[in-house]
Amino acid sequence: MLQRAVIEGRVVDADARLALETRYGHFTSMQIRDRRVRGLDLHMERLEAASRELFGVGVDRAEVLGSIRAVLGDDLRDASVRVFVVEGDGPRVLATASAPVTPPDRPHRVKPVVYQRFLPHVKQAFGFQQLHIVRQVAREGFDEALLTTEDGLISEGAITNVGAFAGGRLVWPDAPMLRGTTMRLLEGMDVPQEWRPMKVGDLAGFDQVFLCNSWGVMRVGEVDGVALRQDETMMTRLLEHYDGVAWDRLD
């Protein structure tokens, strides 16, 4: 580990040096309301599986929950929280809290970008590439990027999962991806579901395309300038299912 580090001329302590030095790890993101979170067990499953794959050992649930409670303190009841497991003197658990996020209630504009993540099933910490892609498409007026192969096969969004409805069926891309916690919660919706290859050119043929991540569920109104259909009935059913998911207590 670094012996000494400076931020803007100030020498920082060992914990700050750990945060600066680590380049290897994974994380999970969650929205907390009234000190509750949706899908707590799914977040723990993600951290456990990724820790065993990257470090050869699992995570301590009590340590994770303790870190979340510590970062919330006594004053935060609503927040966006990230829990990281990173390489230090053995795997170390870090947590951060920021302002809660609610996605805007408007159709999103998305742009396809040719990019495939390494180990896409792992939510990797310190994702420079994805952040760069999101910022680039935002400068062009888009809300999100769709990650694709050279021939337009969609895997996921830069920071979201992608789903669609066709004839009352819920369709997910059949491609390597991170199966997000919100996506897994939506898989519990009581409608026929299938996984199949999904190309950018196919999106205009769906009744409704949507994105999902820890922020919630967002409808897609346009892909690369092409307007998409809007199925209010299926979107309402999807949102009602998501809103009906139980919140798990953290205290």
Side-chain angles (χ1 to χ4, degrees):
M1 183 174 173
L2 292 170
Q3 290 185 324
R4 182 176 298 164
V6 169
I7 299 176
E8 295 181 340
R10 293 175 289 107
V11 177
V12 297
D13 63 16
D15 288 340
R17 294 200 302 273
L18 171 66
L20 284 171
E21 185 177 36
T22 186
R23 294 291 182 270
Y24 190 74
H26 61 93
F27 74 105
T28 193
S29 297
M30 57 187 73
Q31 289 297 312
I32 291 174
R33 301 292 184 272
D34 195 27
R35 299 181 76 91
R36 299 170 185 253
V37 61
R38 287 186 174 108
L40 177 59
D41 286 343
L42 296 179
H43 285 289
M44 293 303 308
E45 285 178 22
R46 164 184 286 167
L47 294 176
E48 176 73 13
S51 288
R52 290 196 176 278
E53 180 168 351
L54 299 186
F55 301 113
V57 295
V59 293
D60 185 319
R61 183 185 181 98
E63 183 178 4
V64 170
L65 292 176
S67 295
I68 296 172
R69 289 192 288 265
V71 82
L72 292 175
D74 296 327
D75 56 326
L76 293 181
R77 302 200 66 82
D78 299 341
S80 299
V81 168
R82 289 186 172 189
V83 178
F84 296 84
V85 182
V86 300
E87 188 171 53
D89 182 16
R92 304 283 296 276
V93 176
L94 314 178
T96 64
S98 56
V101 176
T102 301
D105 185 21
R106 58 171 174 75
H108 276 41
R109 301 178 68 234
V110 300
K111 179 177 180 176
V113 174
V114 176
Y115 180 72
Q116 298 289 284
R117 296 190 305 114
F118 178 67
L119 293 180
H121 59 286
V122 175
K123 193 172 179 71
Q124 302 154 31
F126 320 111
F128 171 86
Q129 294 90 338
Q130 287 160 270
L131 179 59
H132 177 71
I133 288 169
V134 169
R135 291 189 174 191
Q136 288 294 109
V137 300
R139 292 190 185 104
E140 300 175 38
F142 294 94
D143 301 293
E144 169 65 313
L146 298 183
L147 305 184
T148 76
T149 59
E150 291 283 355
D151 61 353
L153 188 68
I154 298 167
S155 55
E156 57 193 336
I159 59 170
T160 58
N161 285 114
V162 184
F165 285 100
R169 300 181 70 85
L170 178 49
V171 182
W172 302 104
D174 184 12
M177 68 173 74
L178 175 75
R179 287 182 64 210
T181 298
T182 300
M183 178 184 186
R184 295 181 66 187
L185 293 173
L186 297 180
E187 288 173 1
M189 186 177 177
D190 186 20
V191 293
Q193 300 187 34
E194 65 179 280
W195 297 72
R196 70 186 196 215
M198 186 184 294
K199 288 194 171 185
V200 173
D202 300 332
L203 297 183
F206 286 105
D207 300 321
Q208 179 73 60
V209 180
F210 64 89
L211 308 172
C212 58
N213 63 8
S214 64
W215 299 351
V217 183
M218 300 142 279
R219 69 189 72 210
V220 177
E222 179 184 311
V223 56
D224 210 13
V226 177
L228 301 182
R229 299 178 193 172
Q230 300 296 298
D231 187 327
E232 294 300 331
T233 298
M234 293 310 297
M235 198 67 198
T236 297
R237 288 185 62 187
L238 184 69
L239 290 170
E240 286 177 347
H241 169 79
Y242 181 65
D243 289 341
V245 173
W247 292 78
D248 302 311
R249 294 188 61 87
L250 293 168
D251 293 323

